Amino acid sequence: MMGLIILVGIFQSWNVALSIFNMCLISAVMTMGANIQWGYAGLINFGLMGYAALGGLAAVLISAEPVQEAWVAGGFNILMCLWLIVVMIFAIRFVLKYFEKSKIRTYGIAAIIIAGIVIIRITSEPSIEAIESVNPATTGFLGGLGLPIMFSWIVGAFFAGGLAFVVGKVALGLRADYLAIATLLISEIVIAIIKHEDWLTRGVKNVIGLDRPVPYEIELQTKEWFINLVAKFNSGKLDLISSINDKQAALNQLVIEGSSVFVKLCYSGLFLIVVIALLIVTQKALYSPWGRMMRAIRDNEEAANAMGKNVVKQHLLIFILGSAIVGIAGAMLVTQDGLFTPGSYQPMRYTFLIWVMVIVGGSGNNFGAILGGFAVWFLWIEAAPIALFLINLFTARLADTHSFKIHLIESVPYFRYLMMGMGLLLIMRYRPKGILPEKIEIK
């Protein structure tokens, strides 16, 4: 795969190649999260999109600067509503713990929930309107904590893991197909909330200009050390130019291009550290006694339960761990882009494409999950250039104005779906366990 990415750098541009490489690394993190749930425990989670969005939300809440005017307008009441939700949760837990199951207990819980919702709506609605009216073109939300965005990678894991805990408590008792439907619907609910709660995320107006852990291109272009570095790497090209003005113009252009490449290389280094760290941890977990127990539960729940293993508890744990890793990937993605766009979270990109990566690479094998992330994302991005090349090759004898050739060229964006489908069919036919199938331990 690295050879193909290098070829993209040679024949297209190194900016494109590094962009593909970075997205492959982020996809690899997502596939490891899905692989932990499916490959280790046999849990189908079609809600990956929601956990990735929560990771992105964490990046906003951690790195965005707080909007003081919005906090003055209604921030206190929002905090009061959050405390009220916490009080409701503890009150319900108290009732469930100290009162026996009866109609009175059920009515009491219902009364707590209804009263809490009414109070929250009365308290929050005027505050939300006030917050969203504060310069809505640029802010209109509370903002974040103004901390380095790298902290959001950890917070995103906690956000996603917290949601997974709630979902797992409710839905993990369902059969596999119903679990898949439930997790998909819950993720859609999460996305709908993020899209419509402008006071929290600006909704579909997006959050831009987020903090970044690497230098800005415009800053690099003014640094003498970077200019000298670019000149040193391109000394051969510059020596061929005789005119001083032309040489300076060429150097300026190389510095502009090099700054973008340098920034992407910095991101690559950060993402690569995360992928390697997760790979080491997941590999050790896979071949540990805990990993063997999870695979035993996956293969035969009844037998594992008879051996005294708490299947429900272990399923919940693995569900939380896998979702937390997807949350890290969601925060990494927003970190790279520097913006949060709730409208971009679609099941095709953030759920089903990730599942294709796991299936193609090989479930139950961490290296296979990473390979699937690289292979599928590379094909997803390069499908259009490959399709255009093939169309031009096979229609070389046709005139550029020929209707059939024009139709094929206009259909290039859709060839990625054709190639993905064909690739998946071939894998399922000839390598049903994936390119790198799970290794069976023989003792």
Side-chain angles (χ1 to χ4, degrees), residues 202-215:
R202 277 179 53 84
V204 295
K205 291 181 286 189
N206 305 333
V207 180
I208 62 175
L210 292 174
D211 180 39
R212 60 195 300 184
V214 299

Side-chain angles (χ1 to χ4, degrees), residues 92-125:
I92 292 171
R93 285 182 60 86
F94 178 83
V95 171
L96 291 173
K97 184 176 182 180
Y98 293 102
F99 290 85
E100 295 183 357
K101 187 176 182 180
S102 63
K103 289 185 178 180
I104 296 177
R105 188 179 78 168
T106 303
Y107 293 149
I109 294 173
I112 292 172
I113 294 174
I114 293 172
I117 291 174
V118 171
I119 296 173
I120 289 172
R121 284 186 63 88
I122 293 174
T123 306
S124 64
E125 284 188 356

Side-chain angles (χ1 to χ4, degrees), residues 261-330:
V261 171
F262 184 85
V263 167
K264 288 181 172 61
L265 280 172
C266 292
Y267 278 122
S268 299
L270 292 174
F271 297 161
L272 197 58
I273 291 172
V274 175
V275 171
I276 293 173
L278 287 175
L279 179 60
I280 293 172
V281 172
T282 53
Q283 279 294 100
K284 287 185 176 295
L286 179 62
Y287 294 107
S288 68
W290 176 81
R292 290 192 290 271
M293 177 188 66
M294 291 309 306
R295 282 177 287 172
I297 292 174
R298 177 197 65 189
D299 295 335
N300 195 324
E301 286 188 21
E302 290 77 10
N305 198 27
M307 293 294 291
K309 305 302 179 183
N310 192 332
V311 175
V312 175
K313 180 181 178 181
Q314 297 302 326
H315 273 175
L316 180 61
L317 176 61
I318 203 84
F319 194 72
I320 293 172
L321 290 175
S323 301
I325 292 176
V326 176
I328 294 173

Side-chain angles (χ1 to χ4, degrees), residues 194-432:
I194 292 175
K195 283 182 180 179
H196 294 92
E197 298 300 327
D198 287 13
W199 64 273
L200 181 65
T201 65
R202 277 179 53 84
V204 295
K205 291 181 286 189
N206 305 333
V207 180
I208 62 175
L210 292 174
D211 180 39
R212 60 195 300 184
V214 299
Y216 286 90
E217 291 86 348
I218 193 68
E219 294 177 357
L220 284 173
Q221 294 165 17
T222 60
K223 301 293 184 181
E224 185 177 352
W225 67 267
F226 183 74
I227 297 172
N228 294 334
L229 181 65
V230 172
K232 182 178 179 181
F233 270 93
N234 296 274
S235 58
K237 293 181 181 178
L238 296 174
D239 290 340
L240 297 176
I241 303 174
S242 57
S243 172
I244 296 177
N245 292 334
D246 292 343
K247 182 179 291 189
Q248 185 61 43
L251 178 60
N252 291 339
Q253 183 62 33
L254 289 171
V255 167
I256 293 172
E257 296 174 358
S259 63
S260 181
V261 171
F262 184 85
V263 167
K264 288 181 172 61
L265 280 172
C266 292
Y267 278 122
S268 299
L270 292 174
F271 297 161
L272 197 58
I273 291 172
V274 175
V275 171
I276 293 173
L278 287 175
L279 179 60
I280 293 172
V281 172
T282 53
Q283 279 294 100
K284 287 185 176 295
L286 179 62
Y287 294 107
S288 68
W290 176 81
R292 290 192 290 271
M293 177 188 66
M294 291 309 306
R295 282 177 287 172
I297 292 174
R298 177 197 65 189
D299 295 335
N300 195 324
E301 286 188 21
E302 290 77 10
N305 198 27
M307 293 294 291
K309 305 302 179 183
N310 192 332
V311 175
V312 175
K313 180 181 178 181
Q314 297 302 326
H315 273 175
L316 180 61
L317 176 61
I318 203 84
F319 194 72
I320 293 172
L321 290 175
S323 301
I325 292 176
V326 176
I328 294 173
M332 291 166 61
L333 181 63
V334 173
T335 301
Q336 177 186 242
D337 295 340
L339 73 159
F340 180 59
T341 55
S344 67
Y345 290 97
Q346 301 293 332
M348 180 63 193
R349 165 64 183 91
Y350 290 99
T351 293
F352 299 112
L353 192 61
I354 302 302
W355 271 96
V356 171
M357 294 174 182
V358 175
I359 294 170
V360 168
S363 63
N365 188 325
N366 294 309
F367 290 98
I370 293 174
L371 177 61
F374 272 73
V376 172
W377 184 256
F378 181 87
L379 182 60
W380 182 258
I381 295 299
E382 289 297 309
I386 293 172
L388 185 60
F389 172 78
L390 293 176
I391 289 171
N392 289 327
L393 179 64
F394 291 111
T395 60
R397 296 186 178 181
L398 297 178
D400 291 340
T401 56
H402 196 282
S403 59
F404 180 66
K405 186 172 184 177
I406 293 174
H407 172 72
L408 289 177
I409 292 175
E410 290 176 349
S411 304
V412 161
Y414 304 102
F415 273 81
R416 61 170 42 166
Y417 300 105
L418 176 63
M419 290 186 179
M420 292 298 301
M422 290 176 59
L424 185 59
L425 286 174
L426 290 173
I427 289 293
M428 296 302 293
R429 172 62 180 86
Y430 296 104
R431 301 283 293 184

